[in-house]
Amino acid sequence: MATILDGKALAKTMQSQLAEKVAKFTEQGHRPPGLAVLMVGDNPASATYVRNKERACAKIGIATLGQHFPADIFQEVLMDTISDLNNNDRVDGILVQLPLPGSLDSVTLLNHIDPDKDADGLHPINLGRLLRGEIGLRSCTPSGVMRLLGEYDIDLTGKRVVVVGRSILVGKPLALMCLEANATVTIAHSRTTNLSELTRSADVLVAAIGRPEMITADMVKPGAVVIDVGINRVEDEKGVRLVGDVATQDVAAVADAITPVPGGIGPMTVTMLLENTVLSYQRRLGLI
């Protein structure tokens, strides 16, 4: 059976290290780092995500300056709020919880965030910095994938990486990060012809397409490393449960290493959000 790449354990270790770092700075008389999470409406999943992020912040000493707005909020009010946070010296990271109600222009709102406070690492300037190999805040989920691979000494140099999924959240930035790590990268998606043939060529296969258990054992090269970024809520005869984009049990019999769902990339995503906030804080206060 495949080695389980335990993102939950690594996230716990990293968060303890971040807590020690923050404690050292505050003991020196510095203010704590600050993260502002903006949520609009009453989406239950979003509310859960925000609570989890705020709890994680509290554990490591990050001050949360979150604001919750009704679903009928005007775009201009949110733009003004982001402007205020951009100019607030106590705020090091800003996050707009997605999805937003259809009446709001999420792209304009996200682009209005100061790139140096872009805790999610999704601002066009930060994505451009990634493309150019420059210093900048990195997208959280792809960064979490790379950190987990590094923890298990999985070297991508010369490896064939296939990323199934082309979103700006995961697929595209992750492909750039893998290229930076000297891998040969192919991006596939739902319209890719002969997808199974392509995935079977991968030394490292990343599933980030948002389809429950789409990647099956016959699509995986024996001995491959399989990274499952998907989190899908399904309801069947087994009840309501979370599954990834990979049929984990069957694929684990073929792969050399695999991430679980839950407990794989999800905890790493939250941890990289915290790390981005602390990194922004250190830069803003001249601590690095």
Side-chain angles (χ1 to χ4, degrees), residues 74-135:
F74 290 113
Q75 178 96 5
E76 293 75 14
V77 174
L78 289 175
M79 294 285 283
D80 289 343
T81 300
I82 292 173
S83 293
D84 291 342
L85 294 171
N86 286 339
N87 295 318
N88 189 332
D89 288 337
R90 296 185 302 127
V91 174
D92 304 290
I94 303 170
L95 167 67
V96 176
Q97 182 65 45
L98 302 176
L100 294 173
S103 59
L104 297 172
D105 180 355
S106 60
V107 173
T108 298
L109 290 168
L110 294 173
N111 289 354
H112 193 53
I113 295 172
D114 180 345
D116 294 327
K117 293 188 177 186
D118 170 33
D120 255 345
L122 296 176
H123 193 284
I125 288 179
N126 284 322
L127 292 171
R129 288 167 174 165
L130 170 61
L131 180 64
R132 292 173 59 88
E134 298 174 355
I135 292 174

Side-chain angles (χ1 to χ4, degrees), residues 197-229:
E197 180 180 338
L198 185 61
T199 58
R200 282 195 297 270
S201 72
D203 301 306
V204 178
L205 177 61
V206 181
I209 202 165
R211 296 190 178 183
E213 300 182 325
M214 176 182 172
I215 302 299
T216 53
D218 61 312
M219 300 174 70
V220 177
K221 175 183 178 180
V225 173
V226 179
I227 304 295
D228 190 353
V229 179

Side-chain angles (χ1 to χ4, degrees), residues 120 139-146 169-170 174 229 265 268-269 272:
D120 255 345
S139 306
C140 296
T141 299
S143 293
V145 170
M146 299 303 290
L169 294 173
V170 181
L174 179 58
V229 179
I265 301 304
M268 292 301 300
T269 297
M272 300 314 297

